[in-house]
Amino acid sequence: MISLVIYESKHKEALENYPLSKEQLGFTGHPIEMLKKVEMCPTYTPVVILDGEQVAGFFVLDTGDDKLNYTDMKESILLRGYSVHPSFQGRGIAKFSMQLLPQFVMEHFPSIKQVVLGVNEANKAAQAVYLKNGFIDEGHRYLGSAGIQLALCLKVDQVIVRKAMPGDEQGIVDVCVAAQWNTYKNLYSMEYIEGVIEKFYTVDRIEKEIAETNRFWNGYFVALLNNEIVGAIGGGVDEEGIAEVYVLYLDPEKRNKGIGTKLLNYLSDVQKIKYGAHEQWVSVAKNNMLGIPFYESRGFIFQHEEQSYESNPEDQAISLKYKRKI
């Protein structure tokens, strides 16, 4: 299990036996050197990445003014000297530590709104890791001692929408399954809901739907709050430019935060810009008073009723078809 903890003296021996290549040291500081600076810099907080009880990585969070080289926002914290121990590289440590970072910052630095960092423009591998895990390149550049630095930021409490990637499967499943029960528990039988979940919302199926996208299935897009998947949407566009939203579900505890709107807007832009869609349809379960007001308030107009997709008459599953211009 990966965790983030504030450095303690018991971690020092592991950090002393922490080999970094000459190439890596060209982009980041060695943990021991960073710890020496901690003694002189009261704004530095050293953080250890643990895999179980083993030291797997290290970085420093700095509340000092150096962050202003990368951002104008005073409520920021600067991430310095990030590295993963060579023995633990290739295990997803970077991904999991980035997922834990927003919550860690909120717990220990409650006034902070974003994490910023500088990554050397030549360090493409590190850029890819940060950008895949919630950091945003807002275009700021800083000329440091080692060359031009890209300023990246991670919003601590902001919803981010992006296309789903391998590794998102379980998060999408969790959201869709929770939303199925929350939305339909009073509309359909338990057997029907369980059947829908078993058919459409399994890790294996969603893994394929993330990997195999095209015009007719644009793929899943996810909303992340503090790097946790809290919503998912998917749809497709036919050859005539008619788009459809096939699935849109949110974590029931994250409703009424504008997440559904952000997801719908994101997918709509993809369908318009990439596939030339000019009209968008959606199916909403009859009497679904969580979904119907949402779509009607966003310009969808009721067209007709029909039996729900891949249901049987005895299921009594009726969908209301809506459309709007986009």
Side-chain angles (χ1 to χ4, degrees):
M1 179 179 177
I2 309 303
S3 60
L4 303 180
V5 298
I6 293 177
Y7 167 82
E8 298 180 34
S9 58
K10 65 181 180 180
H11 301 128
K12 186 173 183 180
E13 182 178 354
L15 294 175
E16 289 175 333
N17 299 302
Y18 194 106
L20 291 177
S21 69
K22 184 177 180 180
E23 180 183 4
Q24 289 171 310
L25 290 172
F27 295 123
T28 191
H30 191 281
I32 294 300
E33 295 303 315
M34 297 299 296
L35 286 174
K36 291 178 182 178
K37 294 180 181 179
V38 168
E39 297 175 0
M40 299 179 290
C41 299
T43 61
Y44 279 28
T45 298
V47 181
V48 175
I49 306 169
L50 295 179
D51 185 358
E53 297 298 321
Q54 295 181 293
V55 173
F58 179 87
F59 59 90
V60 167
L61 293 173
D62 178 13
T63 57
D65 289 341
D66 283 356
K67 64 193 176 189
L68 299 177
N69 291 319
Y70 305 96
T71 181
D72 295 328
M73 183 183 289
K74 293 183 178 180
E75 299 87 357
S76 300
I77 196 165
L78 177 61
L79 188 152
R80 294 179 175 271
Y82 180 91
S83 66
V84 173
H85 191 293
S87 298
F88 291 84
Q89 291 174 9
R91 301 188 190 181
I93 301 295
K95 172 184 174 181
F96 289 118
S97 64
M98 292 298 149
Q99 290 177 345
L100 295 171
L101 184 57
Q103 185 62 39
F104 182 86
V105 169
M106 284 194 294
E107 289 176 3
H108 296 279
F109 306 91
S111 65
I112 295 300
K113 296 182 179 179
Q114 67 175 11
V115 180
V116 295
L117 60 83
V119 58
N120 194 288
E121 66 174 353
N123 193 353
K124 302 299 184 184
Q127 291 173 34
V129 169
Y130 293 129
L131 293 172
K132 285 181 179 178
N133 290 287
F135 279 85
I136 302 168
D137 181 359
E138 295 185 325
H140 301 299
R141 299 294 182 265
Y142 170 66
L143 182 58
S145 59
I148 296 176
Q149 305 286 309
L150 281 67
L152 307 182
C153 68
L154 174 67
K155 305 300 182 183
V156 170
D157 192 17
Q158 180 170 310
V159 175
I160 298 169
V161 178
R162 61 163 171 78
K163 189 169 185 179
M165 303 184 298
D168 289 338
E169 298 87 359
Q170 188 62 58
I172 295 172
V173 167
D174 292 345
V175 163
C176 291
V177 169
Q180 285 284 320
W181 288 111
N182 185 64
T183 305
Y184 303 121
K185 60 187 176 184
N186 296 321
L187 297 179
Y188 301 141
S189 68
M190 180 181 297
E191 292 75 15
Y192 178 73
I193 297 172
E194 289 175 343
V196 169
I197 292 170
E198 183 178 353
K199 184 165 188 176
F200 295 106
Y201 303 114
T202 65
V203 169
D204 288 344
R205 176 171 179 138
I206 290 177
E207 182 177 26
K208 294 177 182 177
E209 291 177 335
I210 289 174
E212 301 171 6
T213 64
N214 51 51
R215 178 184 188 87
F216 304 104
W217 167 245
N218 309 148
Y220 271 105
F221 299 85
V222 293
L224 298 98
L225 180 61
N226 302 328
N227 229 21
E228 175 188 358
I229 293 175
V230 294
I233 192 170
V237 183
D238 69 14
E239 294 177 347
E240 304 299 322
I242 307 299
E244 185 153 5
V245 179
Y246 295 138
V247 54
L248 171 52
Y249 290 118
L250 306 178
D251 179 335
E253 296 183 359
K254 302 296 190 298
R255 293 182 58 85
N256 301 315
K257 296 180 181 292
I259 298 171
T261 299
K262 288 188 176 183
L263 282 166
L264 181 61
N265 290 345
Y266 196 100
L267 176 64
S268 299
D269 286 343
V270 169
Q271 292 180 328
K272 286 189 295 183
I273 296 168
K274 187 172 183 178
Y275 298 107
H278 55 85
E279 184 175 285
Q280 190 178 53
W281 288 71
V282 67
S283 298
V284 191
K286 189 173 184 178
N287 297 320
N288 175 5
M289 298 315 297
L290 295 177
I292 291 171
F294 172 84
Y295 289 111
E296 289 183 343
S297 67
R298 284 150 186 83
F300 284 87
I301 300 172
F302 172 73
Q303 303 298 307
H304 60 265
E305 292 185 5
E306 65 180 29
Q307 185 173 309
S308 295
Y309 178 66
E310 293 203 8
S311 68
N312 298 312
E314 58 268 25
D315 296 321
Q316 298 183 345
I318 303 299
S319 289
L320 308 182
K321 299 291 289 188
Y322 283 80
K323 75 172 181 179
R324 69 172 181 174
K325 297 294 182 181
I326 58 172

